[in-house]
Amino acid sequence: MNILKKLYNWSSSWTGTVVIVLGIIFFVAQAFVIPSGSMKNSLLVGDMLFVKKFSYGIPTPRLPWLEWQVLPDFNGNGHLIEGDRPNKGDIVVFRYPHNEKIHYVKRCIATGGDIVFVKNKKLYLHPVEGNEYVIENY
């Protein structure tokens, strides 16, 4: 019981509060606002969402708003521990490759083995499952 009281007193302090909030933002969940209208059929500009950060593994922690890495990226994939990969249809949040301070919120349309290309501003997809998959789902 004494340990619980000490833990409560520590979490009530500024230090404890900051450590708990950063721990949640680093490893558990983070809030995002939809920045563009590219997902108008399901999410609108300005919609807010919480992202479960451990869905695809334990991410390499970064300080929010500054986007500084707290720990080095040992695997080179942005995760301390890698988990499941996104599935088709999942909404994913990822960093823009040329500016890591920008987050994109998009729907996953392809996974490993799928052929994807853009021609004349049209997206073409040939999934590894074959044409029957396209007829059933698209």
Side-chain angles (χ1 to χ4, degrees):
M1 196 65 163
N2 195 16
I3 292 174
L4 291 176
K5 187 173 182 175
K6 286 182 181 180
L7 184 63
Y8 174 77
N9 288 336
W10 175 79
S11 67
S12 301
S13 70
W14 278 100
T15 307
T17 303
V18 168
V19 168
I20 291 169
V21 168
L22 286 177
I24 290 171
I25 290 172
F26 284 166
F27 301 111
V28 180
Q30 188 172 351
F32 289 95
V33 176
I34 305 298
S36 68
S38 64
M39 294 189 55
K40 282 184 185 171
N41 293 337
S42 53
L43 298 170
L44 301 175
V45 176
D47 282 355
M48 298 177 193
L49 59 121
F50 277 104
V51 174
K52 196 170 44 169
K53 297 202 83 173
F54 53 87
S55 293
Y56 305 118
I58 306 297
T60 304
R62 293 173 176 252
L63 284 176
W65 303 288
L66 299 175
E67 296 302 327
W68 292 340
Q69 275 188 294
V70 177
L71 296 173
D73 189 5
F74 298 113
N75 298 331
N77 63 4
H79 289 87
L80 294 175
I81 300 171
E82 195 165 345
D84 295 335
R85 298 291 182 150
N87 295 317
K88 290 179 182 140
D90 288 355
I91 295 175
V92 294
V93 177
F94 59 94
R95 298 177 192 288
Y96 181 62
H98 302 291
N99 182 353
E100 292 192 352
K101 291 185 178 185
I102 298 173
H103 291 90
Y104 274 11
V105 179
K106 302 292 178 193
R107 188 171 303 280
C108 179
I109 60 159
T111 57
D114 293 343
I115 299 170
V116 178
F117 67 94
V118 177
K119 183 177 180 184
N120 297 328
K121 296 186 179 183
K122 290 188 180 180
L123 177 76
Y124 294 90
L125 167 67
H126 185 74
V128 73
E129 294 89 357
N131 292 333
E132 294 80 27
Y133 180 83
V134 174
I135 292 168
E136 289 175 16
N137 295 290
Y138 296 99

